[in-house]
Amino acid sequence: MALKKKAGLKEGVLWLKCEVFEQCVLPLTLPTSYSFPSLLKLASEAHRSSRISLSEWTHVAPVCLGLTTDTATLLFTVFETITADSSTALTRSREELAARQTATLAAYRSGRRVGFVPFLLFLFLQLHPRASTPQPDRSDLPSTLQPAAKTIALSSRAAEHDSHLQFFKRHLNDLLVLAALGKHKLGRQAFLEFAFLLSEGESHSQEVPLGTHLPFWKTEDPSHHVDLTLLQGFLVQWLALNPTLYSPTELPTARCLSKIVWVPEIQPGKDRAILNRVNTIYGLAKSLVVRTAIAPHTRLIRIYCNQLSNLYLLAPMDYVSIFGCTNCTIVLGVVAKMLTIEHCEKVRVVCAAAIVRVSHCVDTRLYMLVNSPPLVGPHTRLE
């Protein structure tokens, strides 16, 4: 099916959601048995239901993928958190804390269920090279070399925006096969499971529900299935990065040493079509920043390369990434999904969050309310 792009649409109508790759590719040491063939085996053995429970998952994960129970539970919990809307994620957090206090945590967790197909896609993302690439130990470098080390790490992070898209395109056939549960055709409902990975729009500043403009399912026949080869060719043609909604990581430059991109809460009567999914605060020195409101469509807050500053972001947020900060105090509102802290030194963070990841940090203090202990990565020293 030959399809022409719409006039004026320079980079396609399907966009990769950057926060999924940035926050949800976990730095785990996966066994050699964890691979696409093993995920396909899992799809064939556990596809009887459209949803899978935590107890079912922890039973099949060691057999099919060679995962430990703790790692399997972690993957399930992270996926459950990132696919829930903010209010649902906070409700589940309260319910889990209540179950922990009443000693019914095991029973509560065994009844939790997630969509099986999107969970398979999430498991495949853990094969991204960043998840398994070892990071050099920079925690013992002299303080005069720490900025250079952070710059190297940040440069690598800035280049990942394009690598995410290339990884997705390169493995698109594998992802489609998993979504089709090993079959050669895919239905509309199964394709919509990609919604946590992809967004769709008519322009770079507007989004519509995934599947709105796809030509394959214009028919009202719910049983219509599309050949995977045809679907893959279409997606490769139309899939792109969207720097307007999902801005790439930026590096402080000589011309712009500091920058704050913060979209406040939209006021009644203002245009809701112009959205920005990523807010950024970077390059500040000896500064005080206070923000008490945030637009509801914002998904990721990046706090990069600040020093000797106090940041008070007192608003509910989905994802927060703190990277390369030194001698800072950062007080956050509720983080409904995930907080990531990397390559920081002498930083104090105050927050309530569903999931917290910390790696490559020195002399970092965390004052947090979390459902489970933080995921502490390599080369980290916490106070």
Side-chain angles (χ1 to χ4, degrees):
M1 181 182 294
L3 296 170
K4 295 183 179 180
K5 294 186 177 183
K6 297 179 181 179
L9 201 55
K10 297 181 180 179
E11 296 195 25
V13 295
L14 291 172
W15 305 308
L16 203 61
K17 296 181 178 179
C18 67
E19 73 273 7
V20 175
F21 273 97
E22 286 190 28
Q23 303 296 302
C24 305
V25 177
L26 304 180
L28 300 175
T29 302
L30 299 172
T32 55
S33 56
Y34 191 106
S35 61
F36 171 69
S38 61
L39 289 173
L40 200 57
K41 177 183 177 182
L42 174 65
S44 64
E45 293 187 2
H47 73 281
R48 300 176 186 85
S49 174
S50 61
R51 300 179 69 79
I52 186 171
S53 67
L54 177 58
S55 58
E56 294 169 341
W57 162 241
T58 52
H59 176 72
V60 300
V63 178
C64 295
L65 303 177
L67 298 175
T68 64
T69 302
D70 290 343
T71 301
T73 302
L74 171 62
L75 288 168
F76 187 96
T77 302
V78 170
F79 176 76
E80 182 184 44
T81 302
I82 67 173
T83 53
D85 58 68
S86 300
S87 59
T88 303
L90 293 175
T91 300
R92 287 176 178 170
S93 298
R94 290 193 293 266
E95 291 175 348
E96 184 166 342
L97 288 174
R100 189 185 301 273
Q101 293 172 352
T102 57
T104 59
L105 184 60
Y108 169 77
R109 286 181 171 177
S110 64
R112 288 156 49 187
R113 290 180 173 273
V114 297
F116 182 56
V117 170
F119 187 45
L120 279 176
L121 303 179
F122 169 77
L123 293 176
F124 186 87
L125 293 188
Q126 304 312 312
L127 295 173
H128 189 278
R130 180 185 167 195
S132 56
T133 301
Q135 296 284 346
D137 186 357
R138 308 185 190 278
S139 59
D140 57 351
L141 291 176
S143 58
T144 55
L145 297 181
Q146 284 287 351
K150 293 173 184 177
T151 300
I152 294 172
L154 185 58
S155 299
S156 175
R157 179 63 53 85
E160 283 184 348
H161 202 65
D162 289 323
S163 71
H164 296 161
L165 180 64
Q166 298 307 316
F167 175 85
F168 191 88
K169 286 185 174 181
R170 186 166 60 250
H171 297 284
L172 181 56
N173 181 69
D174 295 341
L175 289 165
L176 291 173
V177 170
L178 287 176
L181 300 177
K183 301 177 182 178
H184 299 290
K185 292 188 176 184
L186 192 69
R188 174 184 172 85
Q189 191 58 43
F191 178 76
L192 294 182
E193 303 291 4
F194 281 87
F196 85 100
L197 280 173
L198 303 176
S199 62
E200 183 180 343
E202 297 178 339
S203 70
H204 280 175
S205 59
Q206 295 180 343
E207 282 188 336
V208 295
L210 184 64
T212 301
H213 297 297
L214 294 183
F216 304 106
W217 292 287
K218 293 299 184 181
T219 174
E220 297 181 359
D221 183 7
S223 62
H224 178 63
H225 284 64
V226 180
D227 185 87
L228 295 187
T229 304
L230 180 63
L231 186 57
Q232 179 184 0
F234 174 83
L235 294 178
V236 169
Q237 178 188 5
W238 289 70
L239 189 64
L241 297 172
N242 186 344
T244 301
L245 294 182
Y246 304 93
S247 57
T249 302
E250 297 182 79
L251 291 171
T253 64
R255 293 183 178 181
C256 182
L257 296 178
S258 64
K259 184 176 182 180
I260 300 179
V261 178
W262 191 269
V263 182
E265 180 139 13
I266 296 177
Q267 300 297 324
K270 295 291 183 68
D271 186 6
R272 293 177 177 269
I274 307 302
L275 307 179
N276 186 353
R277 302 302 188 193
V278 182
N279 282 356
T280 303
I281 299 177
Y282 73 72
L284 300 181
K286 298 181 180 180
S287 300
L288 171 64
V289 175
V290 179
R291 296 291 185 272
T292 58
I294 186 173
H297 51 70
T298 303
R299 294 172 180 159
L300 173 63
I301 308 296
R302 295 194 186 113
I303 305 172
Y304 279 15
C305 300
N306 303 291
Q307 57 180 326
L308 298 170
S309 297
N310 296 322
L311 309 178
Y312 297 85
L313 311 181
L314 308 178
M317 296 165 277
D318 282 348
Y319 298 93
V320 177
S321 178
I322 303 174
F323 189 101
C325 294
T326 305
N327 287 298
C328 291
T329 297
I330 302 172
V331 181
L332 304 173
V334 176
V335 180
K337 297 188 177 182
M338 184 176 292
L339 167 64
T340 302
I341 308 171
E342 297 177 298
H343 295 277
C344 291
E345 180 181 1
K346 297 180 181 178
V347 170
R348 295 159 296 282
V349 180
V350 182
C351 183
I355 301 172
V356 177
R357 292 169 46 192
V358 187
S359 65
H360 299 86
C361 291
V362 181
D363 300 333
T364 299
R365 295 184 180 183
L366 307 179
Y367 304 93
M368 296 186 171
L369 174 63
V370 292
N371 287 352
S372 56
L375 309 179
V376 180
H379 317 310
T380 299
R381 187 166 70 244
L382 303 178
E383 292 186 2

